[in-house]
Amino acid sequence: LVLVADVRLDNRDELIRRLGARQGPDGHAPTDADLLLLAYQAWGERCVEHLLGDFVFAVWDEAARELFLARDPLGGYSVSYARIGNRFVFASETAAILDLPGFNPTIKELTVTRVLAGLTPTAEDTFFESVFYLPPAHCLTLRTQEIRQWRYWALAPRASIEYRDDDQYVDHFLELLDQGTNVGILHATEEVKEVLELRCELQLLPGEVHVAHTGDADQVHMGMRHFEAEHRHPHPVTGKG
């Protein structure tokens, strides 16, 4: 198997536990790519149902002569593909496909017309004929020149959760918020970690505080100083850091 991926997994601990992946091939903690490949080996095409995070990845199975391509449910990362003669190509950016030697792209006039008319193109449309996006929450397989594409996840807006009282709704919301905060902290830079942890300690304050997620330590620490100053003199405020 050959894997290429742009991936950030948010449920690493769960995958490590379920896959028994205590260490990667190099003896260190498994990378997201290690976990992705193990998930594909364990669950095949249905591995995407067990992944949380942003990802685009492709697995080439040499024995089966099959390519598997997948994109995360919310489309955090993008991927384009095209069939050019007897070749199938894909890339994280359409420009990489357009630059291929021997490929002469043609403008897709229908897409241009829709955009100029203020209409939204479909999730697959690019501005070029024969070049397509793989939509969010979709997988694609290529085998013996046959392409199969399907949706593996869809939002269920009418689904409802029924609890006995308001307190149970609050408890469930706080549980999900805590999970999301923990995931965010794991992937934040060290400077932004400090801001997020400070916010967790102070819990709820009047108004809103917006902190720029940036690698610029000066900006982050400036946001922290503003945050602390407003906490000492609380009143509705929007701080920008």
Side-chain angles (χ1 to χ4, degrees), residues 162-166 168-169:
E162 301 292 338
Y163 288 127
R164 291 192 305 271
D165 54 55
D166 290 346
Q168 289 184 315
Y169 288 103

Side-chain angles (χ1 to χ4, degrees), residues 75-215:
Y77 299 145
S78 66
V79 62
S80 306
Y81 67 92
R83 294 191 70 161
I84 305 173
N86 61 355
R87 293 183 297 169
F88 178 90
V89 297
F90 62 90
S92 55
E93 295 191 9
T94 305
I97 296 176
L98 303 181
D99 287 341
L100 286 172
F103 180 45
N104 300 308
T106 302
I107 296 294
K108 186 181 292 185
E109 294 182 359
L110 179 59
T111 302
V112 175
T113 301
R114 290 180 64 89
V115 172
L116 293 177
L119 302 176
T120 302
T122 70
E124 294 182 88
D125 280 341
T126 70
F127 287 105
F128 303 93
E129 299 285 355
S130 305
V131 183
F132 305 94
Y133 290 118
L134 182 66
H138 278 68
C139 297
L140 177 154
T141 57
L142 172 68
R143 187 173 188 179
T144 60
Q145 299 300 313
E146 180 183 348
I147 294 178
R148 179 171 65 97
Q149 182 175 304
W150 71 96
R151 188 183 189 102
Y152 66 85
W153 178 87
L155 184 66
R158 296 187 178 182
S160 62
I161 300 175
E162 301 292 338
Y163 288 127
R164 291 192 305 271
D165 54 55
D166 290 346
D167 288 342
Q168 289 184 315
Y169 288 103
V170 172
D171 289 342
H172 190 183
F173 171 76
L174 291 176
E175 178 185 351
L176 295 175
L177 180 63
D178 184 59
Q179 292 175 5
T181 301
N182 288 338
V183 167
I185 289 176
L186 286 174
H187 294 291
T189 62
E190 289 301 319
E191 294 86 0
V192 176
K193 277 187 188 181
E194 298 176 14
V195 178
L196 294 175
E197 289 166 354
L198 176 62
R199 185 179 188 279
C200 291
E201 291 173 6
L202 299 178
Q203 295 180 349
L204 299 179
L205 293 177
E208 298 178 345
V209 174
H210 299 286
V211 178
H213 284 225
T214 174

Side-chain angles (χ1 to χ4, degrees), residues 12 33 44 67 72 156 160 169 219 234:
R12 285 179 50 83
L67 177 73
D72 66 88
S160 62
Y169 288 103
Q219 290 189 41

